[in-house]
Amino acid sequence: MSKSLQNLASTVRIFIFAIGSISLAAALTDQAIAQPSTPKAPDRSEECEILIVGGGVAGTATAYEGLLAGRTVCMTEITDWVGGQITAQGTSALDEAKKQRNLWFFPQGYTEFRKRIEQNYGKLNAGDCWVSVSCFIPNTAQQILVGMLQEAAQKGNGKLKWFPNTVIKKLEMSPDGKLIDGAIAIQHSPAPNTPPLNTETLSSIIEDAYRYENSSRLNKQIIRFIPLASTEKRPTDWFVIDSTETGEIIALADVPYRLGLDPRSHLNPSSPVTENDPYCTQGFTYTFAMEQTAEAQPQQKPSFYDRYLPYYGSDPKPNLANFDTIFTYRRIWSAATENPKKNAFGVSPMKACDISMQNWVWGNDYRPGTNKDNLIYSREQLLRSGQLEPNGWMGGLRTETLKSGEEIALGFYYWLVAGTTDSQQKTDWKKPFPNHRLLTGFDSPMGTSHGLSKYPYIRESRRIIGRPSYGYPEGFSMSEIDVSQVDFSTETYRQNLSEQTYRSLWKALAGVESASAIRNNTEPQKISRRTRSTIYPDAIGIAQYYLDFHPCLSEYPVEKAGNTERAGVRNGHGPAFPGQIPLRSLIPQKVDNLIVSGKNIAFSYIVAAGYRVHSYEWSVGAAAATTASFALSEGMLPYQLVEDLPRVSPKLLQLQQMLVKNNNAIAFPDTSIFNLNWSDWKIW
């Protein structure tokens, strides 16, 4: 790094540490009414066949497949990196199921990305981490993904129009409200004589980024996205893909969706609530990278550190009260050694020049769970704040909570290197580990002056409720029993569910014997449960991982001493069977040319806990692009592909065949209603 950049990074770091705590008075108030932002005439228009909103893993996968299909693709992203959780969110440790990984049974683009990581470093696991078989530096992954998109455009004769630092402000709807006819976006850049972007944290500029007007910090360009002109007669000339991390477009379009905990039912029997709780979502995390040094480094205590100190600790399950264990868990770079010794988790011990990415439940996870501090605003909160009014959209997030997430992460670094307390362990293991430094600067792993990821890792988003279909009169959604391996015969379920609900649960779990169980009203204890996921006739992708929860906390504020996780949220914690992604889960109600991907599809919060990992996001993004391209070619709308289910239409079969031909699997090997032998498909 140049001396000027080092000085700048140092100045910014001191500035961030000097930020005071948010006043309790401000935190206790509900969100303020959004100040009106005066609409501005677009500076230019851009034509697309596919408009991808959000350049995360799913958005990148959508662009990749869209370009290979020869489409004109526009992609917006609030940060300046593609790749989402792989890059801008800093979670560069691939979460994968063991057998799926051993078979390399992934979407074609994800497989290519893994191969290029290995080629770049000469090994797949550059960090010699133990959480994954592949840990690497985020800015390296960013460069690889950019190269992949460029090559996909060249190979498929597609065209990519990339719009970093860009947010969608407004949707232009057709008179009947069924089509998105245009989208107004705001792209920001540094105002003259101001520092580069990524100098300050996201919370400092996010509200400014959603306003039309120039400010002392940001210059704005207004862009109008419209369909690529076509002479063909078809219901729509483009598709809009919501790949945002928090379901911005589904909120802005005001299609039916859920947020937070789903009500307990025979479909989601592990839920701890009887009514939807939109405020308790999984925690979000600002990641950061730290380097071990040979000598002790000066460590500066943040001014807000004492506020968050009661929260910091090491998760006792498993017992990780050991700094080497914590450091090597997500180590993203390991200094080369010959025949290194192994620690308790089978990787080399930490050493000078090693770099670790931090992402810890009782560390930099921020887990609000009340209407005073939830991050993603509910529909009711959006209505109250004016964000659903014309030109009122401001991103749908609580800025104060975003800022708290940034502060708790910076404070966690200081706790790691200087702290001596532990909120979770009853032992006095914690001592200072000052031989480390926070990696900051534009050439650091996170690419920011402050050292935090450009955007937080979001585990749970707004989730659409799909259209009513056969067997789903209230709207399609994937449920816990569709994928979970949890033992539903335990006393917990017999006690928490009514007799009727418990019977319905087991009839739904009977697999090929369901019809007989329903007809004969078979007693639950006499039913043999199926040992596989639900098989969907409209499958367009695959996923498997652990149903893994980072629950919201019970009280406000998160960092309150003695605060505990919301009871029961982990009830569904456990492995999932190899599963499928149905096309119905990507199709929202009301709007016909909107497709969703990423974490925004129609599934319950329990399913979302497992369907949030890297390969899943790539699979659903590839499916979204292929569906959009196919629908454009066929002159039809996605819902028309599934409206006759359970009868499968010829067009749906063609779409599925196209996905398989492009090496984007729609089912795991040997998937069949008669195959119940999934015991060897282990997660870890």
Side-chain angles (χ1 to χ4, degrees):
M1 186 191 299
S2 68
K3 188 172 182 180
S4 61
L5 286 181
Q6 287 178 329
N7 291 338
L8 176 61
S10 177
T11 301
V12 171
R13 188 162 60 251
I14 293 171
F15 168 75
I16 292 171
F17 281 153
I19 297 174
S21 298
I22 301 171
S23 70
L24 285 179
L28 286 168
T29 60
D30 204 348
Q31 69 279 1
I33 298 296
Q35 297 181 4
S37 182
T38 306
K40 203 175 146 187
D43 296 298
R44 73 181 199 269
S45 294
E46 295 287 350
E47 294 184 330
C48 335
E49 292 176 286
I50 300 175
L51 170 61
I52 305 166
V53 186
V57 178
T60 302
T62 304
Y64 184 77
E65 291 294 333
L67 294 169
L68 287 174
R71 298 298 178 181
T72 298
V73 176
C74 299
M75 182 163 65
T76 69
E77 164 60 21
I78 191 171
T79 73
D80 56 355
W81 278 4
V82 299
Q85 60 171 306
I86 291 176
T87 59
Q89 296 169 38
T91 51
S92 53
L94 299 179
D95 291 320
E96 298 169 348
K98 184 177 181 180
K99 186 166 182 178
Q100 183 182 11
R101 180 178 66 239
N102 291 343
L103 294 175
W104 283 77
F105 201 73
F106 297 113
Q108 64 171 347
Y110 184 85
T111 297
E112 180 63 24
F113 171 74
R114 290 176 96 251
K115 288 179 179 178
R116 295 192 185 200
I117 284 290
E118 189 167 9
Q119 290 168 358
N120 183 83
Y121 291 106
K123 53 186 175 180
L124 186 59
N125 194 353
D128 192 25
C129 65
W130 58 270
V131 72
S132 170
V133 300
S134 184
C135 293
F136 46 84
I137 295 175
N139 58 10
T140 302
Q142 149 73 9
Q143 296 164 14
I144 289 173
L145 290 173
V146 168
M148 285 177 58
L149 292 178
Q150 292 171 341
E151 292 175 26
Q154 185 177 20
K155 181 179 179 181
N157 199 29
K159 184 176 183 181
L160 176 62
K161 300 181 179 182
W162 161 237
F163 299 89
N165 308 311
T166 302
V167 298
I168 298 297
K169 178 70 173 179
K170 178 184 177 183
L171 299 177
E172 298 175 336
M173 306 300 298
S174 63
D176 62 4
K178 292 184 177 181
L179 295 175
I180 299 174
D181 286 341
I184 304 299
I186 303 173
Q187 185 173 47
H188 59 267
S189 58
N193 303 314
T194 63
L197 297 179
N198 299 308
T199 296
E200 59 270 274
T201 55
L202 179 64
S203 69
S204 303
I205 69 164
I206 190 169
E207 293 182 12
D208 192 357
Y210 279 91
R211 297 184 63 81
Y212 288 108
E213 300 84 4
N214 290 336
S215 68
S216 59
R217 178 65 179 105
L218 301 178
N219 276 358
K220 316 289 177 59
Q221 186 174 59
I222 313 304
I223 304 167
R224 182 174 183 243
F225 292 105
I226 56 176
L228 183 67
S230 172
T231 58
E232 298 181 38
K233 290 186 178 181
R234 51 191 181 187
T236 184
D237 287 327
W238 77 341
F239 285 95
V240 177
I241 316 290
D242 186 351
S243 295
T244 61
E245 300 299 323
T246 58
E248 288 190 49
I249 302 305
I250 63 177
L252 191 53
D254 204 21
V255 301
Y257 64 87
R258 292 192 183 95
L259 181 65
L261 303 178
D262 301 286
R264 185 166 58 246
S265 69
H266 77 283
L267 298 175
N268 293 291
S270 298
S271 177
V273 296
T274 56
E275 295 183 359
N276 172 234
D277 182 346
Y279 308 117
C280 180
T281 60
Q282 293 224 45
F284 69 95
T285 307
Y286 272 100
T287 61
F288 58 85
M290 56 191 293
E291 180 184 28
Q292 186 176 4
T293 58
E295 305 293 334
Q297 304 295 307
Q299 309 292 347
Q300 186 172 359
K301 178 181 176 181
S303 60
F304 45 75
Y305 176 71
D306 289 339
R307 170 186 168 185
Y308 301 101
L309 181 58
Y311 178 79
Y312 300 129
S314 58
D315 192 339
K317 297 178 181 179
N319 188 343
L320 301 180
N322 177 292
F323 198 86
D324 178 76
T325 299
I326 291 174
F327 188 89
T328 58
Y329 185 56
R330 287 189 175 92
R331 180 171 49 190
I332 57 177
W333 172 253
S334 178
T337 59
E338 292 185 8
N339 301 318
K341 295 180 180 179
K342 302 291 184 180
N343 66 14
F345 287 88
V347 298
S348 60
M350 62 181 189
K351 48 198 168 296
C353 299
D354 282 2
I355 299 173
S356 177
M357 176 266 292
Q358 293 298 324
N359 178 0
W360 280 97
V361 173
W362 288 99
N364 47 340
D365 265 15
Y366 200 68
R367 301 185 282 161
T370 73
N371 63 357
K372 300 175 184 177
D373 59 354
N374 62 307
L375 176 65
I376 304 174
Y377 283 147
S378 68
R379 184 176 185 273
E380 180 181 313
Q381 290 173 317
L382 292 174
L383 285 170
R384 273 206 311 270
S385 68
Q387 291 205 43
L388 297 185
E389 296 295 320
N391 297 297
W393 184 249
M394 297 295 288
L397 302 181
R398 190 189 300 267
T399 305
E400 293 86 352
T401 297
L402 208 58
K403 182 180 179 183
S404 294
E406 294 161 353
E407 290 180 341
I408 204 170
L410 290 168
F412 180 54
Y413 167 75
Y414 185 76
W415 179 82
L416 286 172
V417 297
T420 58
T421 62
D422 191 301
S423 65
Q424 302 303 302
Q425 297 286 344
K426 295 181 180 179
T427 60
D428 57 355
W429 78 276
K430 187 69 180 74
K431 61 182 180 180
F433 296 91
N435 289 32
H436 295 88
R437 65 186 181 101
L438 179 66
L439 294 179
T440 62
F442 301 119
D443 60 349
S444 68
M446 301 299 169
T448 62
S449 285
H450 45 78
L452 297 180
S453 54
K454 295 170 186 265
Y455 196 89
Y457 171 38
I458 303 292
R459 293 183 176 85
E460 184 181 335
S461 177
R462 300 178 179 94
R463 311 179 301 275
I464 64 165
I465 302 172
R467 302 188 180 208
S469 63
Y470 180 81
Y472 301 89
E474 304 300 320
F476 181 83
S477 182
M478 298 176 66
S479 302
E480 176 185 11
I481 65 170
D482 289 325
V483 301
S484 177
Q485 295 189 41
V486 166
D487 181 3
F488 296 113
S489 67
T490 63
E491 192 64 29
T492 297
Y493 295 97
R494 286 194 291 269
Q495 290 179 351
N496 290 345
L497 302 177
S498 69
E499 181 180 354
Q500 181 179 351
T501 302
Y502 189 68
R503 283 177 173 271
S504 297
L505 164 64
W506 277 92
K507 289 173 183 176
L509 289 171
V512 293
E513 302 298 328
S514 285
S516 173
I518 294 171
R519 184 173 58 252
N520 299 323
N521 198 26
T522 307
E523 293 293 325
Q525 63 269 23
K526 296 181 180 180
I527 293 175
S528 298
R529 89 166 266 186
R530 67 166 191 254
T531 54
R532 56 165 173 79
S533 292
T534 295
I535 297 174
Y536 298 103
D538 56 332
I540 40 76
I542 58 172
Q544 186 192 17
Y545 200 63
Y546 222 77
L547 302 176
D548 182 28
F549 299 90
H550 294 234
C552 73
L553 296 198
S554 303
E555 299 182 66
Y556 169 87
V558 171
E559 59 275 10
K560 180 180 179 180
N563 208 349
T564 58
E565 294 180 350
R566 182 78 65 84
V569 175
R570 291 185 186 267
N571 287 347
H573 187 84
F577 292 112
Q580 295 177 304
I581 306 164
L583 178 57
R584 282 167 292 174
S585 65
L586 279 65
I587 302 173
Q589 298 182 35
K590 296 171 53 175
V591 182
D592 292 339
N593 63 348
L594 174 62
I595 300 173
V596 302
S597 68
K599 306 176 189 76
N600 309 323
I601 72 171
F603 48 21
S604 70
Y605 88 94
I606 295 177
V607 180
Y611 280 47
R612 60 178 169 84
V613 295
H614 309 78
S615 65
Y616 153 75
E617 279 211 53
W618 198 288
S619 187
V620 76
T626 307
T627 300
S629 183
F630 180 81
L632 286 172
S633 296
E634 298 296 324
M636 61 191 308
L637 297 166
Y639 80 85
Q640 295 173 316
L641 293 165
V642 295
E643 61 183 346
D644 293 328
L645 291 177
R647 182 166 59 87
V648 176
S649 70
K651 295 295 185 184
L652 176 57
L653 284 174
Q654 288 180 37
L655 171 63
Q656 292 174 318
Q657 289 165 1
M658 181 180 295
L659 284 160
V660 173
K661 180 181 177 182
N662 292 338
N663 294 314
N664 293 311
I666 65 172
F668 283 88
D670 301 321
T671 293
S672 162
I673 61 172
F674 303 108
N675 182 2
L676 304 179
N677 185 21
W678 293 99
S679 59
D680 58 342
W681 284 84
K682 302 294 186 183
I683 306 296
W684 296 314

